[in-house]
Amino acid sequence: MARKNANDNPLAPVTVAVGQEDLLLDRAVQEVVAAARAADADTDVRDLTPDQLGPGTLAELTSPSLFAERKVVVVRNAQDLSADTVKDVKGYLGAPVEEITLVLLHAGGAKGKGLLDAARKVGAREVACPKMTKAADRLSFVRGEFRALGRSATPEACQALVDSIGSDLRELASAAAQLVADVEGTIDEAVVGRYYTGRAEASSFTVADRAVEGRAAEALEALRWSLATGVAPVMITSALAQGVRAIGKLSSARGGRPADLARELGMPPWKIDRVRQQMRGWTPDGVAVALRACAEADAGVKGGGDDPAYALEKAVVAVARAARLRRG
């Protein structure tokens, strides 16, 4: 989980979230926004990228208001700010405005380090959001997820979840939340096996495998069987997204032995070999199309649509078509 410094007040004048783990960065922002809205339900939130924050923009956003409204200003990819805008932000750090919380998201590398140093110098609250490249870190993350959700899971269950899902923190968090929602009592290895290495592997991952291989008819057949046997739709969208992302990662990676690529991409070696077989026919455009389809399906099965089954069928067909773009 994200690590914080001694100043743990989310409403500190300045928070810097440092690292490249998107889920943790997003959670750092959500924590500040939630605290601000708990203090004032009408808090104004401005979420900006470097291209939206030109010279003078920060001054406009933080100028005193007649109504003294609380405001949260989020600056993403702060390491990419222009030199003039960095000068503005540094000036603001020296005299932050009351009732305004500035949140800077910074990748933490050498680029833009001067801004990060300036924030630290004035005592900004800091949240560490590093990429979790070690299996032990991901295991600790899963344990923390179950604790945060108020449920207990055995060490074997946590390990089984990491082994089944892999290195994507969003997918690990989603899987933990799904188990907590569906299962009563302590979550053990048998429960994880039922969802992810038993029924789920035999169904949701079969759907994903057939779709990314361009075998639409077989993928639709597997999809209907999965839904008929009670597999949660969110498990199927997760498997589809994992399959497409794996192809995107491997297609953009340097060539090398499966063991080397496994370390680089956070996949087991056996999966490298499988994905290599599946990625034939894929193009970068195809990966982009398929990821959009997966995102739309995910929204559809989580309440954004009236018919989760239809949303899944659309996604399966879109992924299968994307897999065949190069084949014609």
Side-chain angles (χ1 to χ4, degrees):
M1 302 180 74
R3 299 188 296 273
K4 303 164 188 173
N5 63 6
N7 176 10
D8 198 20
N9 177 12
L11 294 181
V14 181
T15 287
V16 288
V18 185
Q20 299 179 43
E21 185 55 68
D22 290 340
L23 175 65
L24 300 183
L25 290 167
D26 286 344
R27 286 184 173 182
V29 173
Q30 292 163 10
E31 182 183 26
V32 172
V33 171
R37 285 184 169 156
D40 181 353
D42 295 325
T43 295
D44 181 20
V45 178
R46 304 297 179 92
D47 198 323
L48 306 167
T49 54
D51 61 303
Q52 297 172 310
L53 196 68
T57 305
L58 184 62
E60 293 175 12
L61 292 172
T62 57
S63 59
S65 166
L66 292 175
F67 303 101
E69 63 179 359
R70 183 175 290 279
K71 185 180 292 185
V72 175
V73 178
V74 180
V75 180
R76 296 185 181 271
N77 299 313
Q79 72 278 357
D80 295 331
L81 292 172
S82 69
D84 287 339
T85 304
V86 167
K87 190 179 299 184
D88 289 349
V89 176
K90 287 182 176 179
Y92 176 82
L93 293 175
V97 178
E98 190 175 355
E99 299 297 313
I100 292 179
T101 299
L102 176 64
V103 183
L104 301 174
L105 307 189
H106 194 290
K111 186 178 182 182
K113 188 172 182 296
L115 177 58
L116 186 56
D117 290 342
R120 286 168 170 162
K121 187 174 181 179
V122 298
R125 171 178 178 260
E126 184 168 341
V127 182
C129 305
K131 275 284 185 187
M132 294 192 182
T133 57
K134 297 180 180 178
D137 291 337
R138 294 192 288 274
L139 183 60
S140 177
F141 171 80
V142 168
R143 290 171 177 158
E145 288 297 291
F146 283 122
R147 282 196 300 270
L149 292 166
R151 294 292 294 281
S152 35
T154 66
E156 294 80 8
C158 294
Q159 185 64 62
L161 197 60
V162 172
D163 291 342
S164 300
I165 299 299
S167 61
D168 190 304
L169 290 201
R170 289 189 189 278
E171 291 171 4
L172 285 168
S174 175
Q178 185 69 40
L179 288 168
V180 167
D182 288 357
V183 179
E184 295 182 359
T186 299
I187 295 164
D188 59 21
E189 187 177 11
V191 169
V192 176
R194 233 178 14 252
Y195 268 76
Y196 294 95
T197 59
R199 181 179 65 183
E201 184 174 343
S203 52
S204 61
F205 287 109
T206 298
V207 176
D209 285 341
R210 299 300 172 267
V212 300
E213 290 162 5
R215 298 154 66 179
E218 293 176 43
L220 287 171
E221 182 180 356
L223 169 64
R224 288 161 190 149
W225 182 86
S226 298
L227 294 174
T229 55
V231 177
V234 69
M235 299 297 301
I236 300 171
T237 57
S238 175
L240 277 171
Q242 284 184 59
V244 176
R245 277 197 288 269
I247 286 169
K249 286 180 180 179
L250 189 55
S251 63
S252 61
R254 302 187 302 271
R257 298 177 303 166
D260 296 330
L261 287 169
R263 285 192 294 272
E264 180 183 342
L265 302 178
M267 299 181 195
W270 63 263
K271 190 169 184 179
I272 297 292
D273 291 331
R274 175 185 289 180
V275 176
R276 274 179 167 161
Q277 294 294 321
Q278 293 174 333
M279 64 189 284
R280 295 170 182 167
W282 280 91
T283 65
D285 286 343
V287 171
V289 168
L291 286 175
R292 284 196 295 272
C294 291
E296 290 171 4
D298 190 58
V301 304
K302 291 179 178 175
D306 297 327
D307 188 344
Y310 177 64
L312 285 168
E313 286 182 3
K314 281 180 61 180
V316 164
V317 171
V319 170
R321 285 177 177 168
R324 302 181 65 86
L325 284 179
R326 184 172 291 167
R327 298 172 190 161

